[in-house]
Amino acid sequence: MKNEVRPCLGCNACRYEKPCIQKDSFNELVPKIKEADCLVFASPLYFWSMSARIKAFIERFYCIAIKDENPPFGRHEKYPVKDCALLVTAADNNFWTFEQAVSYYQYVFINYIGFHDKGMLLAGGCGHTDGKPQIDKTDHLKEAYEFGKNIYSE
């Protein structure tokens, strides 16, 4: 499958900037990830968490880590310094809808990897689990456009 990123195998072959042994699209993305100033993680919300596809992509970040002889508490290696943002869509829009996705994003990217948070767009009410998407009936597409346009307007 073109553009497929398979889940991490946990084999440690890629540790500290070595290529992953899996022959999929992720290895082609590594140079682009390293060159990027900002990584935007976008996912639909499935069972109140990020999709398995984006999670597989994230777990493969292991190969961009470099050895840290004196890591801060809670880390084992260091990563390139990047900005990041989160975009998530969901059918419902309860007060707790995005709690798991936001927690995962903050823990993994901000606290552990050490990226700089440029913000989140949490787009609830984009559909119904029984029906068709309804994002066009919300302001979320306009909000996403403005979010992207202004991410570096300081």
Side-chain angles (χ1 to χ4, degrees):
M1 180 163 144
K2 187 170 171 53
N3 297 323
E4 180 186 17
V5 174
R6 288 185 225 117
C8 179
L9 300 173
C11 69
N12 284 333
C14 71
R15 188 135 196 212
Y16 304 137
E17 298 188 288
K18 294 181 195 106
C20 180
I21 62 168
Q22 296 190 78
K23 305 300 179 217
D24 64 10
S25 296
F26 189 79
N27 291 321
E28 298 166 22
L29 296 172
V30 170
K32 294 175 182 181
I33 293 167
K34 288 181 176 181
E35 290 174 22
D37 294 324
C38 183
L39 300 171
V40 178
F41 299 94
S43 177
L45 204 66
Y46 295 150
F47 279 87
W48 301 276
S49 188
M50 292 185 197
S51 72
R53 290 186 70 139
I54 191 83
K55 192 133 178 352
F57 175 79
I58 293 164
E59 289 171 353
R60 298 282 294 281
F61 270 52
Y62 204 47
C63 71
I64 66 170
I66 58 176
K67 190 169 186 150
D68 190 342
E69 298 297 336
N70 190 21
F73 179 73
R75 289 193 189 153
H76 304 286
E77 60 269 325
K78 61 182 168 182
Y79 289 82
V81 176
K82 304 282 177 194
D83 291 333
C84 67
L86 178 66
L87 307 176
V88 182
T89 59
D92 59 5
N93 198 20
N94 299 310
F95 71 92
W96 46 265
T97 297
F98 298 100
E99 195 171 298
Q100 290 293 327
V102 168
S103 177
Y104 181 79
Y105 168 78
Q106 289 174 331
Y107 177 78
V108 171
F109 295 109
I110 311 311
N111 298 340
Y112 185 77
I113 291 178
F115 288 171
H116 301 131
D117 181 28
K118 296 301 280 183
M120 294 179 265
L121 180 60
L122 308 175
C126 292
H128 192 277
T129 56
D130 298 357
K132 295 181 181 179
Q134 298 173 9
I135 195 167
D136 59 330
K137 294 182 176 87
T138 72
D139 291 330
H140 296 314
L141 296 174
K142 181 181 172 190
E143 292 166 358
Y145 174 79
E146 292 298 321
F147 181 81
K149 193 168 92 171
N150 296 312
I151 201 163
Y152 282 112
S153 66
E154 294 177 349

